[in-house]
């Protein structure tokens, strides 16, 4: 059972039990995951469990009756359920809770029923029914009684099956029997109640001598054994799927009647089998049931031959009643087994694989009875022929031809083009699915490989290649499951090799993945330098003002000017301007298939106008069948990684440009422009942070994980392994790059925002200073002596502050502004380090510990964290007056870049 199925089942159980609060579902999910085993543990003996529940139950007879009924229907997982219930009877705490929960649910149901009944107007108890109302009621009851007849119920069942099959095979009309087949009851071969020979019985049987009674009853029995009423033995009408009963003349001699009652079960079983054959021979019940009915018809012919031989003896006067009983005894067991199988198939409404499961289980149950087991094996082999024909076509050619929905694999109408459009498209998982009810019990262990084998071949067929398994052999039913396992294993190995070679060699899957890594994971350094140089001005605009065609042209130019020109798949790279920022995209992805999904989809893309840098992303054109691996879900994950790193690269370039522009400020003396020192220090700390984060993501997360992926792809044996390795690679990258945790990502984005705002402020200040220098130089051409350096610096600062006093983060002076940036950056960075430390220890995310060691290599931030925690603890503790001393100066440590 997958992790997602465990999540769903636990949440569903808690919802049904109305459990709210407490420890939550995660505790139970972790407990189940720790205790699950790779072995099949559902094969249990239910006998002792059944006895224990019967002893515990207040109505053991009802429980045992219900158990036998479900067992006769061949209900799946019945024994494991009974075993679980028996274990629950031993847990008093769980029983007490379930009883309380049942009482609460009963009270809620009673309250709901009371509220609904109060709104209905009940007739007065003393009201009389008029003759007209009585006549209408009689008509209604008559129509209900007529509609519940046996033939009408069969016709309704056939119509439902026919509608379901026609809906599935919309382009192909399935054959049906003409109506007269069902309208002529004499064609069935079963008893016609009310039209026998009883009306011609002029002589009462009690008035005949014993020998004449025996001769008359033998003749009647020969008729009854082939489904025709006799003079003194008549069949009773049926009211449902019950066994046929007979009415024997009560005046018959007691000894003769005793032998007659022993022989009549043969006629009853024959009637059941005949009705089953006629019903299941219809097209609507599927090919497996038709094959089973045909095999039973062959055995019924043997029975009719026996009766004809007995009739020949009777005409010769050589057949007495004891002789008839002697000759019929061997057939009694055979017809009884056939009737039992027919009744079980009817009760369970078995079709296709469910019918084969029932027959196979019966064959195993008759292990000690060689005759009965041989009979069941004969029926199972005959019934499995059409099923195995569908199986062979599926595992040897990848074609499914199942017009009556009998096969274990079901096909759904899905378009493979959607795999490139819809993030949540599940083409690979849902185009072909396993129908648990239609899995024969002897193929249960191989159901997964049967599904995968046909899927692999079907993908190759849809690419225009006709494939046929060279090791194809006819599949024949046998009790030795090893025969099926070997044939399916060979077909699976061939299909895996064909599809894997097709994707790896002909479609060049690894080369496409390397091409995607080159662009989305920023593996191509010179390409990004060219591209960001070309598009820097364009991407600074609001996203609504950007022309996508211009970006496409600049992308093409950057590809041609860099070493990416040698990439054969460079033309598949496209520009994509996203409607929302990275955090919103992450939250939308995390909300898929949750209660918040509808709200996230209907929400506005973003409240703020995005810049081109925030909305920019790459897209990649992937064609079938590579879209199975590189689907929209995978491309979205690549886009999230790219947007994360691309913005980091942009911030690094901005900080480096600030470093270049600040070189001009070094000509001023520090004692006259003290605020430059703090600005340079803060810029260097920001650059150190951004560069170390990029180094961590590229060289400690992506590169090692990529090498693991390449190694795993070389050893992959089938396409499911490739899908699993690729998904694991992306999940690991997203998790270690802090993209699966919205809290970490929000803190990180705040840090990036502080860095960008700081660089904008510094660039505006540098531009103002350069403009002032130019104006001052021209003005000094008419002055004899230059003014002092300190006066010029102070004048430039005053002009800058006067011109940019309305900037978002600017305070009353430049030094105060830098101090505010420093405070915000340090607070957010300390918050990030604290969260990283928590996740690396509590959630065992050890890879994040390296980020802490790189960002805090000299313990500078550790001291701040300790000081901050001490201050918080002092605030939380009760205040005690202490003598105050002079404040100690706060240490300032400059962090240098590595």
């Amino acid at each position: 059972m997958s992790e997602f199925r465990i999540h769903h089942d636990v949440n569903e159980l808690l919802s049904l039990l109305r459990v709210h609060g407490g420890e939550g579902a995660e505790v139970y999910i972790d407990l189940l995951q720790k205790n699950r085993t790779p072995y099949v543990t559902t094969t249990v003996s239910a006998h002792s469990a059944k006895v224990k529940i019967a002893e515990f139950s207040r109505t053991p007879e009802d429980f045992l009756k219900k158990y036998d009924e479900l067992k006769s229907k061949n209900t799946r997982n019945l024994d494991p359920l009974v075993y679980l219930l028996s274990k629950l009877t031993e847990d008093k705490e769980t029983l007490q809770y379930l009883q309380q929960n049942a009482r609460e649910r009963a009270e809620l149901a009673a309250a709901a029923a009371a509220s609904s009944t109060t709104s209905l107007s009940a007739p007065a108890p003393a009201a009389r029914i008029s003759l007209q109302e009585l006549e209408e009621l009689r008509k209604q009851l008559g129509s209900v009684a007529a509609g519940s007849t046996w033939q009408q119920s069969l016709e309704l069942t056939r119509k439902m099956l026919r509608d379901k099959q026609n809906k599935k095979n919309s382009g192909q009309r399935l054959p049906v029997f003409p109506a007269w087949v069902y309208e002529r009851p004499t064609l069935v071969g079963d008893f016609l109640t009310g039209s026998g020979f009883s009306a011609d019985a002029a002589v009462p049987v009690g008035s005949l001598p014993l020998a004449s009674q025996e001769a008359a009853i033998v003749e009647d029995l020969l008729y009854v054994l082939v489904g025709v009423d006799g003079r003194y033995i008549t069949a009773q009408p049926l009211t449902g799927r019950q066994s046929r009963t007979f009415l024997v003349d009560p005046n018959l001699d007691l000894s003769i009647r005793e032998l007659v009652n022993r022989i009549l079960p043969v006629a009853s079983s024959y009637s059941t089998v005949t009705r089953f054959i006629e019903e299941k021979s219809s097209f609507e019940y599927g090919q497996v049931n038709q094959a089973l009915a045909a095999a039973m018809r062959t055995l019924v012919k043997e029975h009719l031959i026996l009766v004809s031989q007995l009739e020949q003896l009777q005409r010769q006067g050589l057949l007495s009643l004891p002789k008839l009983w002697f000759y019929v005894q061997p057939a009694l067991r055979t017809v009884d087994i056939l009737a039992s199988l027919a009744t079980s198939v009817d009760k369970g409404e078995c079709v296709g694989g469910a019918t084969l499961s029932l027959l196979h289980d019966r064959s195993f149950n008759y292990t000690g009875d060689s005759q009965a087991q041989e009979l069941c094996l004969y029926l199972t082999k005959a019934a499995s022929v059409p099923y195995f024909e569908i199986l062979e076509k599926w595992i040897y050619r990848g074609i499914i031809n199942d017009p009556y929905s009998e096969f274990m694999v079901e096909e759904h109408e899905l378009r493979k083009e959607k795999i490139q459009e819809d993030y949540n498209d599940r083409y690979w998982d849902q185009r072909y699915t396993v129908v648990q009810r239609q899995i024969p019990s002897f193929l249960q262990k191989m159901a997964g490989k049967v599904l995968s084998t046909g899927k692999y071949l079907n993908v190759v067929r849809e690419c225009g290649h006709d494939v046929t398994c060279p090791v194809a052999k006819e599949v024949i039913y046998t009790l030795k499951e090893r025969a099926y396992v070997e044939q399916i294993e060979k077909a699976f190995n061939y299909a895996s090799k064909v599809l894997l070679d097709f994707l790896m060699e002909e479609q060049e899957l690894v080369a496409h993945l390397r091409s995607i890594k080159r662009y989305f994971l920023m593996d191509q350094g010179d390409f990004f330098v060219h591209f960001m140089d070309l598009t820097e001005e364009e991407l600074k605009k609001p996203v609504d003002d950007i022309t996508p065609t211009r970006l496409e042209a600049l992308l093409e130019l950057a590809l041609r000017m860099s070493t990416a020109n040698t990439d054969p798949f460079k033309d598949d790279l496209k520009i994509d301007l996203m409607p929302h920022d990275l955090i919103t995209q992450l939250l939308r992805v995390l909300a898929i298939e949750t209660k918040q999904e509808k709200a996230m989809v209907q929400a506005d893309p973003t409240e703020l106008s995005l810049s081109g840098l925030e909305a920019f992303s790459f897209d990649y054109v992937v064609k079938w069948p590579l879209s199975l691996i590189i689907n929209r879900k995978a491309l979205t994950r690549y886009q999230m990684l790219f947007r994360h790193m691309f913005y980091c690269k942009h911030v690094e370039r901005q900080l480096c440009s600030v470093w270049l522009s600040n070189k001009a400020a070094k000509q001023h003396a520090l004692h006259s422009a003290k605020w430059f020192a703090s600005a340079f220090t803060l810029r260097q700390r920001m650059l150190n942070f951004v560069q170390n984060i990029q180094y961590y993501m590229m060289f400690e997360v992506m590169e090692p994980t990529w090498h693991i992926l390449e190694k795993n792809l070389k050893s992959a044996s089938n396409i499911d392994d490739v899908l699993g390795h690729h998904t694991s690679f992306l999940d690991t990258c997203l998790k270690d790059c802090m993209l699966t945790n919205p809290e970490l990502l929000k803190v990180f984005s705040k840090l990036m925002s502080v860095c960008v705002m700081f660089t904008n402020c510094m660039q505006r200040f540098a531009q103002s200073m350069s403009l002032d220098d130019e104006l001052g130089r021209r003005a000094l051409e008419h002055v004899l002596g230059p003014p002092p350096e300190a006066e010029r610096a102070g004048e430039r600062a005053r002009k800058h502050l006067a011109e940019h006093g309305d900037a978002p983060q600017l305070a009353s002076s430049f030094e105060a502004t830098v101090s505010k940036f420093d405070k915000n950056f340090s607070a957010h960075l300390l918050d990030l380090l604290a969260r990283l430390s928590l996740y690396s220890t509590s959630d065992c995310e050890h890879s994040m510990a390296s980020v802490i060691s790189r960002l805090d290599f000299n313990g500078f931030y550790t001291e701040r964290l300790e000081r901050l925690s001490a201050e918080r603890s002092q605030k939380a503790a009760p205040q005690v007056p202490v003598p105050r001393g002079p404040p100690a100066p706060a240490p300032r440590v400059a962090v240098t870049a590595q």
Side-chain angles (χ1 to χ4, degrees), residues 747-791:
V747 177
F748 185 82
S749 65
K750 290 178 182 178
L751 278 168
M752 293 289 104
S753 299
V754 171
C755 294
V756 171
M757 294 172 68
F758 173 75
T759 57
N760 293 337
C761 180
M762 291 298 295
Q763 286 174 355
R764 286 197 299 268
F765 184 75
Q767 291 171 2
S768 176
M769 288 186 64
S770 62
L771 182 60
D772 288 345
D773 286 342
E774 182 66 21
L775 293 176
R777 186 182 61 80
R778 293 180 180 181
L780 286 177
E781 291 179 356
H782 304 285
V783 181
L784 296 176
E789 181 69 23
E791 294 180 6

Side-chain angles (χ1 to χ4, degrees), residues 669-712:
L670 288 178
H671 65 83
S672 59
K674 297 180 180 180
W675 50 82
F676 283 131
S678 59
F680 290 169
T681 303
L682 179 58
R683 183 213 66 220
Q684 191 61 31
R685 286 173 55 205
M686 289 181 174
L687 189 61
N688 176 68
F689 164 72
V690 174
Q691 288 178 341
N692 277 287
I693 284 290
Q694 285 188 96
Y695 180 90
Y696 161 75
M697 290 191 296
M698 296 186 69
F699 296 102
E700 294 189 15
V701 175
M702 294 181 185
E703 283 299 325
T705 314
W706 172 259
H707 285 296
I708 294 174
L709 173 64
E710 282 192 325
K711 181 181 178 182
N712 290 334

